[in-house]
Amino acid sequence: MSLITEEQVVLDLTGADRHEATRLLGERLVASGRCTDLDTFIADVRKREETMATGLPGGIGIPHARSTAITEPSLVFGRSANGIDWGAKDGPATLIFLIAAPEGGGDAHMQMLPKLARALMKKDFKAALAAATTEAEVVRIVSAEVELDQPAAAPEESRMASAAEAGAGLATGTAAAGAAPLADAPRSLNLVGVTSCPTGIAHTYMAAEGLENAAKAAGHTMKVETQGSAGSKPLTAAEIAAADAVIFAHDLPVKDAGRFAGKPTIDVGVKKGISDGPALIAQAAALASEWRNDPSKAAAASAAAAGSSGGALVSKVEEGAGLGTRIRQWLMTGVSYMIPFVAAGGILIALSFMLSQVSLGAEGPIEIVKYNLTSTDQYNIAQNFSATSLTSWAALLFVIGGASFGFLVPILSGFIAFAIADRPGLVPGIVGGSVAATMGAGFLGGLVTGVLGGLVARWVSNWKVAKGVRGVMPVVVIPLVSSFITIGLFITVLGRPIKALTDALNSWLTGMSGASAIILGVILGAMMGFDLGGPVNKVAYAFATTGLAAAGAATDAPQLKIMAAVMAAGMVAPLAMALATTVRPQLFSEPERENGKAAWLLGASFISEGAIPFAAVDPVRVISSSVVGSAVTGALVMLFGATLRAPHGGIWVLPLIGNFLLFLVALIIGVLVMATIVIALKSRDTHLAEVDATATV
């Protein structure tokens, strides 16, 4: 059935105010049999109006509501010669659409309602309605934009199609017409956004259309996720990662807002997205430029994002990536969620050992590991804690740190499975990781249970089951079946050989000394310096952090030396480039010299990515120098026997580094080696005059 009929058109709408006019429009729905209780429906509309006025700039009113009194999605059009105040700041509304939706209106017809919202952004559409002389003409004009006979398109496809038709203009009356396009924008930007309103019928989609049109007029591209009643295709992780800035135009909390953490963000109400689209795009462009020119803002936001998930669990897996890439991203998701446990446990244990040496002498670290929560003797810290005893504080730190360490393998396994299967993978992954740790299979066992648990959970999640079973699938069937298969296979088939492999690896690391340790340091250091935070760098880092789980409470475990070597090597490249730009500034352009200033802090904080701007401009010389310098530092740290329990922190965790003076010596030597090579290679540049000219601009 058509969304609008001739009976639902009023060409000479009158009324003392918008409430009276709404009732007159509602009576047309009663007459057409689409409204069973006018008073109930009008009350629902008024309740919506109390939430936020539905008048829009440009002489438009869009009263709307869901109601139990409405039998099917419907539109009623009214045109007022003198205009009726509908709450818009720029004056009364002359074109009014009453949008009526059933209470549970989530079917295909409901997906057509956003089309009206977008059509109202078109000047031609509004002009045709203003000039129409018959009810039939109005029905034809509206039906051309809001067609119910075609199969419902996916919300994102529908929105993109209508955006293509809408053109570059934003037809929102004088408020939008007075805004100037960003003709002088320095570059085309990739923007993303989210729109939402309390009922999700009209404002959500009109704001999306307004932002997209304004972005197009300014020479940018923009994709908007409409969190409305008709649903939408969420923005992909790749689209968000590529965005220069984000615009939230919403009156409801943004779902999974943590996805956008670390991005320049404009946050306004939904009506701003409709009436002030060009201004919001201009603000977003200015903010993106500000962040681009001041790397410290992006670094601070990224650091804040790393410490908070924004209330949502997220994975690091890109849609459409190749199998090899996805496997690496599965593993890195597990590692990223494991690292906070490593950091908390490792630092607490390191502090415990420091205090125990003060309290108990050189044998303190050996004595403090005897403390626990279960024994019946003096080592039960829960029963024998004394606030005045330094030993008690050291024991308390050790017990808490040990408890944190106990979660390393289960969390690693659980979030690998989560990356593969989303939330259904958590149960088999976490329980499987716990079993792997109990059997002594270590982090290798956690990797296996994580991948296996995720694949099994995803397989079970895709089962075609009866409608009555769907409700219990996520809470009963998926965790039950996937856990039984994953953990049953691990206990009976996979666990023992993986434990044997883990034991062999630990034996090799424990027996590592002299040349073998130095070679491992060279390899790990070179990997850290090769792609500066990329896949190779992350593999070396993951090897070090997951190895901390096997170190336990040992004070001189080889895994602690590996962690120290990896962190020191990862600090070399940005520090070396900072030094090179300071010693020989004429070899670098002005932007590179500015990046060099920031690289001091980034390198000292173990942020290898601080050298990426240099590698991007001159990859061969910078990366080759980085590999050599980082390899030297990795080898020296292993040779010197420096140890580290913290998985991150750079110089800020220096007091927690065993043999920290030798750690610093190894770091300084690597930085000097890389800086020397970079300067030597750049000094041989046959185009040095051009470089100097660029550097002095």
Side-chain angles (χ1 to χ4, degrees):
M1 186 177 292
S2 176
L3 193 65
I4 185 171
T5 66
E6 294 181 28
E7 194 172 13
Q8 292 161 217
V9 176
V10 182
L11 293 178
D12 53 352
L13 180 64
T14 58
D17 55 27
R18 65 179 183 270
H19 301 303
E20 183 177 328
T22 300
R23 176 171 285 275
L24 292 173
L25 294 174
E27 289 174 352
R28 295 302 183 100
L29 288 175
V30 174
S32 64
R34 301 185 181 207
C35 177
T36 59
D37 187 332
L38 180 60
D39 290 336
T40 297
F41 174 58
I42 294 302
D44 290 333
V45 174
R46 175 165 284 198
K47 182 178 180 181
R48 173 63 185 86
E49 292 280 342
E50 291 172 352
T51 302
M52 183 176 65
T54 55
L56 303 176
I60 299 172
I62 51 167
H64 55 273
R66 292 190 185 91
S67 177
T68 56
I70 298 299
T71 59
E72 62 181 285
S74 304
L75 297 176
V76 184
F77 173 73
R79 188 175 65 192
S80 172
N82 298 322
I84 300 171
D85 181 11
W86 229 276
K89 294 182 179 180
D90 67 335
T94 56
L95 304 178
I96 298 97
F97 273 99
L98 175 62
I99 306 175
E103 180 65 33
D107 55 16
H109 285 182
M110 190 61 196
Q111 297 182 19
M112 293 296 101
L113 291 177
K115 287 191 173 183
L116 171 67
R118 300 182 194 107
L120 287 170
M121 308 300 286
K122 301 179 182 181
K123 291 181 178 179
D124 291 346
F125 178 73
K126 294 191 297 180
L129 290 175
T133 57
T134 66
E135 289 82 357
E137 188 177 356
V138 170
V139 171
R140 178 182 57 77
I141 294 169
V142 174
S143 297
E145 296 288 341
V146 188
E147 178 60 58
L148 295 181
D149 297 331
Q150 298 297 323
E156 179 70 8
E157 296 169 353
S158 175
R159 180 171 59 74
M160 294 302 293
S162 62
E165 297 170 357
L170 182 63
T172 55
T174 56
L182 296 178
D184 59 344
R187 58 188 285 261
S188 177
L189 302 178
N190 289 319
L191 305 175
V192 296
V194 174
T195 59
S196 69
C197 68
T199 58
I201 295 179
H203 286 78
T204 297
Y205 305 96
M206 297 183 76
E209 187 77 358
L211 291 173
E212 287 179 339
N213 285 342
K216 185 177 180 180
H220 308 308
T221 60
M222 184 168 194
K223 290 189 176 181
V224 180
E225 179 179 315
T226 50
Q227 296 181 354
S229 58
S232 71
K233 181 180 178 181
L235 292 164
T236 67
E239 289 169 341
I240 295 173
D244 295 291
V246 180
I247 299 176
F248 292 156
H250 63 117
D251 287 332
L252 294 176
V254 174
K255 299 173 184 176
D256 293 337
R259 295 173 293 161
F260 304 90
K263 291 286 184 181
T265 302
I266 304 294
D267 195 328
V268 297
V270 68
K271 293 191 75 172
K272 285 283 188 180
I274 300 171
S275 61
D276 295 334
L280 294 178
I281 297 299
Q283 290 178 40
L287 190 60
S289 176
E290 181 182 338
W291 282 45
R292 207 163 46 243
N293 295 330
D294 186 355
S296 65
K297 294 182 181 295
S302 297
S308 173
S309 65
L313 297 175
V314 295
S315 72
K316 299 179 177 293
V317 181
E318 300 172 7
E319 293 184 6
L323 179 60
T325 300
R326 278 184 290 150
I327 291 175
R328 178 179 61 83
Q329 291 172 336
W330 293 343
L331 301 183
M332 288 312 303
T333 296
V335 170
S336 69
Y337 278 100
M338 180 193 74
I339 284 176
F341 292 85
V342 175
I347 292 174
L348 286 170
I349 290 176
L351 291 173
S352 168
F353 289 162
M354 292 171 61
L355 288 180
S356 67
Q357 285 182 310
V358 175
S359 175
L360 301 172
E363 298 298 314
I366 299 175
E367 183 70 15
I368 210 69
V369 300
K370 298 178 182 178
Y371 283 85
N372 58 78
L373 296 173
T374 58
S375 66
T376 57
D377 54 20
Q378 72 272 20
Y379 292 112
N380 187 320
I381 189 61
Q383 297 177 358
N384 299 287
F385 177 77
S386 172
T388 59
S389 169
L390 197 59
T391 300
S392 289
W393 285 106
L396 183 65
L397 291 173
F398 173 78
V399 170
I400 298 173
S404 180
F405 259 37
F407 286 95
L408 299 192
V409 175
I411 293 299
L412 172 69
S413 175
F415 282 94
I416 290 173
F418 167 75
I420 297 171
D422 210 283
R423 292 179 186 271
L426 286 174
V427 173
I430 292 176
V431 177
S434 179
V435 170
T438 301
M439 292 181 65
F443 79 91
L444 289 179
L447 296 178
V448 171
T449 55
V451 173
L452 180 61
L455 293 175
V456 172
R458 189 164 69 177
W459 170 59
V460 178
S461 299
N462 291 329
W463 285 359
K464 303 298 182 183
V465 298
K467 186 175 181 180
V469 181
R470 293 176 193 167
V472 297
M473 284 290 290
V475 294
V476 177
V477 178
I478 297 175
L480 175 65
V481 175
S482 60
S483 296
F484 177 76
I485 294 175
T486 300
I487 300 160
L489 277 174
F490 191 83
I491 292 174
T492 59
V493 178
L494 302 173
R496 284 173 292 175
I498 293 175
K499 181 183 184 304
L501 180 60
T502 299
D503 291 342
L505 177 61
N506 287 335
S507 296
W508 173 66
L509 290 175
T510 302
M512 196 175 54
S513 62
S516 61
I518 294 174
I519 291 173
L520 181 61
V522 168
I523 294 172
L524 292 174
M527 292 174 69
M528 291 299 294
F530 177 70
D531 54 359
L532 307 171
V536 177
N537 173 288
K538 287 293 188 288
V539 168
Y541 181 66
F543 176 73
T545 53
T546 53
L548 289 177
T555 59
D556 196 35
Q559 291 88 351
L560 305 183
K561 300 175 184 177
I562 291 171
M563 187 69 250
V566 164
M567 189 168 82
M571 298 166 67
V572 167
L575 289 175
M577 295 312 300
L579 178 61
T581 56
T582 302
V583 174
R584 293 291 300 277
Q586 68 272 22
L587 297 179
F588 301 91
S589 65
E590 180 63 28
E592 286 178 314
R593 294 201 295 267
E594 290 301 315
N595 285 325
K597 296 175 183 178
W600 284 113
L601 178 59
L602 296 174
S605 301
F606 182 35
I607 301 175
S608 304
E609 289 84 349
I612 287 179
F614 303 96
V617 174
D618 191 0
V620 174
R621 284 178 288 196
V622 172
I623 292 177
S624 59
S625 304
S626 174
V627 168
V628 175
S630 300
V632 168
T633 290
L636 290 176
V637 170
M638 294 296 288
L639 177 64
F640 295 156
T643 59
L644 175 63
R645 287 189 176 277
H648 215 293
I651 62 170
W652 312 113
V653 294
L654 204 59
L656 305 180
I657 299 174
N659 297 325
F660 72 89
L661 288 178
L662 291 176
F663 176 94
L664 286 177
V665 170
L667 175 60
I668 292 171
I669 292 174
V671 169
L672 291 174
V673 168
M674 178 181 171
T676 300
I677 296 174
V678 166
I679 290 172
L681 292 176
K682 282 185 171 288
S683 297
R684 295 171 60 86
D685 194 339
T686 58
H687 298 87
L688 184 58
E690 295 178 12
V691 175
D692 287 337
T694 303
T696 56
V697 170

